[in-house]
Amino acid sequence: MKIENLVKIILLILAFTINKNAMAQSKYESQIDALLAKMTLEEKVGQMNQYNGFWDVTGPLPENGDASLKYEHLKKGWVGSMLNVHGVEQVRELQKLVVEESRLGIPLLFGFDVIHGYKVQAPIPLAESASWDLDAIQKSASIAADEASAVGLNWTFAPMVDISRDARWGRVMEGGGEDPFLGSKIAEARIKGFQGTDLSAPNTIAACAKHFAAYGFAEAGKDYNTVDIGTNTLYNMVLPPFKAAVNADVKTFMNAFNIINGVPATGNSMLLQTILKEKWNFNGFVVSDWDSIGELAAHGFATDLENAAQLAVNAGSDMDMQATAYIKHLTNLVKLGKVDEAKIDDAVKRILRVKFELGLFDDPFKYCNPEREKTSLNHKDHHQGVLEMAKKSIVLLKNENNLLPLSKQQKNIVVIGDLADDKNSPLGSWRLASDDNTAISVLEGFNAYSTDYTFVQGPKVFDDNSDFLHHVTINSTDKTGISEAVEAAKNAEIVVMVLGEHGFMSGEGRSRTKLDLPGLQPELLKAVYEVNKNIVLVLMNGRPLTLTWEDEHIPAIVEAWQLGSQSGNAIAQVVFGDYNPSGKLPMSFPRSVGQLPLYYNHYSTGRPDKKPIVFWTHYADEKNSPVYPFGHGLSYTTFEYNDLSVKVGDSDVVDVTVTVTNTGNVAGEEVIQLYLRDHVASVVRPVKELKGFKKIMLEPKNSETLTFTLSTEELGFYNQDYNLVVEPGQFTVMVGGCSTNGLTKSFKIK
Ligand code: NOJ
């Protein structure tokens, strides 16, 4: 070997080692090592143990919910973190117990599902994703962090970055939708919002990228179900948002409940060790999901809880949420030689690192200021922030003959629908600390605009039993109310119908097999349509619905999701034209459940094109296309795209330029979307993939020329060996306001 080659190799190895160590280091390493050296094995294992609080649960109740045992363990320093303990008083009490009574006084982490707000609720995450507005999403997460940190919390189990293509899965409400590029940008924005630029500040908290990995690919959209995907999908669709989370310096990861290719994610060393900790150099820690270590036995992967502890820790799960597997068995497993103490040390160092970075060793009570708790919760700035977010989250799905916006002088409006005066449902699912019935309802929002409306409830569709789990019952039989609604609609100039899902019909454990408007709502809508076609349909839902009939008949449709505390104000501002909607769908809306999973970035198949006979990829009874595609969303103005040009530069950097003009009469925001097709590759590439977007505001008749720069990250894909590669060949770029149409140009990478 030539001497210069040898030198190159040595330099490369050195650079790799230095870089690897640099990633694993923080300024606290010597303090972490010193503390670790003082810890007994039991105390180390204790750091890896997380207990649920004594009053709230967000999973099946454990057999071993014995509060006095937990107190004993806290005092011994055998607990590293608590979940579902919140409020300054409660947090202070437990932190004091641990800091003052345990031998080493290592402060606790307090984790909670702050998913879209603590007290003040922002829109559900799927709705926020429809804004494609990263600054607004970041701001929304920072509001949540401000309130959460004011009640003693220092860790949120968010963001959920699971990609999902199946609207039957109730947890789509919690994520960024079906696309990995959009999902990655949103993951980053949320993490920046929660963690800020200084994790030790009193109003920032550690974030958690979950659920690692592929939980959103549960078969048939049934929560907790089996996942069976290939590496092409895993590497190119599922992992990118997690990778983006690591790049954004997320402090923690959470396991998923599911198996992947036969191996439960919680015991999956390929995912946790090889990819996350080695390839990505993640230096935070991995918490299990609720009892997911215990569930290794139910999966048939572990023989019992002890074996589950062994498999999970060896795979790289650092903290045990509520399964009690680690606290019961890890010490002994080390003594038996089944778990290497070095593995425990690594996990503990990761957990301590986050505690140091949060500044808990400087002041364990830094989040426990009762004054701040009072002033931060429900702060008017938080309400203002979530109102802005809510407006940006609304998607105008259809607007025939510009029925919307309604004039503020509009007379004789009839508002129909159970959800129109609902103050609870718009808060959505996953809002554990919010106060029930505190959302601004649609009617309250309308009050600020019009006194000339009548409200007719129609049939009562939803009954939220308001028990701990908010089981919703749906009326499908008692038609009382339909005729009254029809009578009122007959003489109305405009009918606004507020229909959709109840806020607790989506979320964890809330999968559906039907995605139409539940209960009597379709019948109500059709009956009203028979007497008055001037309908504005305002939808509230936590997932895509099958709106085929609605799209064919109803002239104006507004997707308002579950928009949180300020819901009604945001909806009213859009309906009466004080805010021009700019949201774009982050998930495809199917025509029928039979099409699921449905996603725009699908592969070509070998038989993509229509043939005169049946032998091509299609259904006999339904189109292939969705009702509303990914990226779809209208505005009260119109935009035109011109002058698409592509410049392929050196080192595979491609500049794509386009000019966008507001051709309508009002100012508006547009999300300019760039899609790419890599025509031939060593693993097949989707027919199109989002690889860039920008949101801009344009005054009427104004234009802006934008340039997107594409490099390896955008042009490449992960090959069979999980390497990011750009393969030479032909590409087509499409730029437009939706995934289904735009200007196109082809180019070659040599
Ligand atoms: C189970 C859920 O899957 C997870 O997302 C959540 O953070 C935990 N429960 C804790 O509540």
Side-chain angles (χ1 to χ4, degrees), residues 46-52 74 78-83 107-111 154-155 157 285 287 319-320 351 355:
Q47 284 305 304
M48 300 165 71
N49 178 34
Q50 184 187 52
Y51 278 140
N52 180 49
L74 283 161
W78 284 11
V79 184
S81 167
M82 296 294 296
L83 81 144
L108 293 166
L109 288 171
F110 288 89
N154 45 40
W155 181 19
F157 304 129
F285 71 88
V287 64
M319 186 181 276
D320 172 5
I351 294 164
K355 293 186 176 185

Side-chain angles (χ1 to χ4, degrees), residues 149-217:
S149 59
V151 299
L153 295 166
N154 45 40
W155 181 19
T156 174
F157 304 129
M160 186 189 97
V161 305
D162 295 314
I163 297 300
S164 180
R165 303 156 160 186
D166 197 326
R168 289 172 294 184
W169 191 50
R171 297 195 81 167
V172 298
M173 58 79 47
E174 240 184 289
E178 75 190 35
D179 181 72
F181 184 86
L182 179 62
S184 299
K185 300 290 173 205
I186 289 173
E188 246 173 70
R190 291 201 165 121
I191 290 160
K192 281 191 205 157
F194 288 129
Q195 297 189 165
T197 45
D198 175 10
L199 193 63
S200 70
N203 59 350
T204 56
I205 56 178
C208 179
K210 70 187 190 185
H211 306 84
F212 196 56
Y215 180 41
F217 280 71

Side-chain angles (χ1 to χ4, degrees), residues 596-661:
L596 295 174
L598 181 72
Y599 45 100
Y600 83 95
N601 47 359
H602 59 84
Y603 303 109
S604 159
T605 84
R607 296 186 172 191
D609 304 318
K610 191 166 181 163
K611 299 272 185 306
I613 44 173
V614 298
F615 305 113
W616 62 290
T617 186
H618 74 300
Y619 298 102
D621 58 356
E622 189 52 277
K623 293 180 185 167
N624 282 346
S625 62
V627 183
Y628 299 117
F630 176 84
H632 168 73
L634 307 172
S635 159
Y636 294 150
T637 188
T638 43
F639 298 96
E640 203 178 277
Y641 288 71
N642 285 300
D643 303 331
L644 180 69
S645 69
V646 177
K647 197 173 122 245
V648 183
D650 297 338
S651 1
D652 299 344
V653 173
V654 177
D655 283 333
V656 179
T657 303
V658 73
T659 300
V660 184
T661 307

